[in-house]
Structures are given as structure tokens and as C-alpha cells.
Amino acid sequence: MGTAGEERGGDAAGMRRALAAARRNLLRADGGPFGACILRGGRVIAAARNTILLRRDPTCHAEVNAIRLAARRLGTHELAGCTICSTTEPCPMCFAAIHWAGIGRIVYGTRIADVARLGFRELTVSNRMLRRLGGCQVLLVGGVLREECRALLRDWERLRLPTY
């Protein structure tokens, strides 16, 4: 891993890729306003958006889609040494997938409570609580590009796009 400064710079770059992926749903509404990007050694491995409505599959959250893509690209289910950047704090399902993939860091912008206020049916269990209850060692970094991530949610709300 790089220095803390390099990680913060990489975190912001990864979050920008996640935001770009999520913004595509403002045009197509294939899923919610969520994006994720997986990095390894500062290099983008995969970026994905939520495609629940497009695929008619409730597991097609941005984080799960990014994990699937990264695993295919790397040829392994083991994503140790990776960081996942998510525009919103991962839900419990995504947190579990991140844990099982062996991803070492979760970087997120907005919190679960921010999207719950928009009407998404979120389980209001924070990643910190999941980490503690599950004995998981994943590192959590919240609030990265939070204002940009909040702007994405405001745009979603302004456009009156579907929640689920």
C-alpha cells in the first residue's frame, strides 16, 4: 500500500470513477444513483453502476457489479489488496460481498441514512456496526467527495427517478 496521501489521492480518483458510473443512471434510470470502483495499487480494475431495474435482479448493486467485473478481469474471486470506492456506504449485502471477496478497504461518500431519506428501502445498519459485529478487519474511510456524492443524490431526487 502507498502512503496515506497517495491513498487519499487514489481514493478521490476512484470515487470520481464511481460517480461517473452512477451518473449514467441519471440518464437511463437502469438502477439507483449508485456507483462503485475497485482499485488495486492505484490502478482502476473495475467501475460499475447499479443495474437493478435494467437486469430485474435485486443483487445488481454497484458494488456487487464491480466485484463481479473485477473478479472476471483478474481471473480470481480473491480481491485482496483492493480498495472499493462506493458513492454511498455499502448496504449489508454489499458489505458481505466485499468481505467475502477479501477487499481490504471500503471508501464511501454518503451514508446509508442519506439514501434512506430519498425513499430507498435501506437496512439502516452501518458498515462500522457490521465490521464490529462480524469481526471483519476491512478498513473504512467515509466522507470521501461527500459533497459530490450528495449532489448526485440531489440530482436523482430533482429528476424524480424511481426508488425501490
Side-chain angles (χ1 to χ4, degrees):
M1 257 201 227
T3 67
E6 288 170 347
E7 283 180 3
R8 281 192 294 275
D11 293 348
M15 188 63 76
R16 284 188 186 91
R17 288 291 296 271
L19 279 160
R23 286 201 169 280
R24 292 200 324 250
N25 279 352
L26 295 177
L27 303 172
R28 297 181 48 113
D30 290 336
F34 310 109
C37 178
I38 296 179
L39 306 166
R40 180 183 273 169
R43 194 178 103 229
V44 172
I45 304 299
R49 63 191 170 119
N50 179 298
T51 56
I52 286 176
L53 301 176
L54 174 68
R55 302 279 181 229
R56 294 177 177 85
D57 180 343
T59 69
C60 285
H61 289 202
E63 297 91 339
V64 172
N65 288 341
I67 289 168
R68 289 173 177 152
L69 183 56
R72 276 195 308 272
R73 287 185 175 163
L74 295 174
T76 180
H77 66 282
E78 180 56 49
L79 302 180
C82 290
T83 292
I84 188 164
C85 300
S86 179
T87 56
T88 294
E89 181 178 9
C91 74
M93 176 187 73
C94 293
F95 184 91
I98 291 162
H99 168 79
W100 288 114
I103 295 172
R105 293 177 73 241
I106 298 172
V107 174
Y108 61 89
T110 57
R111 300 183 66 162
I112 290 172
D114 295 321
V115 296
R117 282 192 281 279
L118 289 179
F120 285 92
R121 293 186 316 245
E122 296 298 320
L123 295 173
T124 55
V125 181
S126 73
N127 285 196
R128 293 198 190 290
M129 182 179 289
L130 289 167
R131 183 178 183 271
R132 182 177 50 79
L133 291 173
C136 180
Q137 298 303 309
V138 67
L139 299 174
L140 303 172
V141 181
V144 173
L145 298 186
R146 186 167 195 269
E147 287 311 309
E148 290 90 333
C149 293
R150 288 178 70 189
L152 171 68
L153 298 180
R154 284 192 299 272
D155 290 344
W156 184 266
E157 187 173 37
R158 180 181 50 77
L159 293 169
R160 298 178 191 258
L161 293 168
T163 58
Y164 41 85

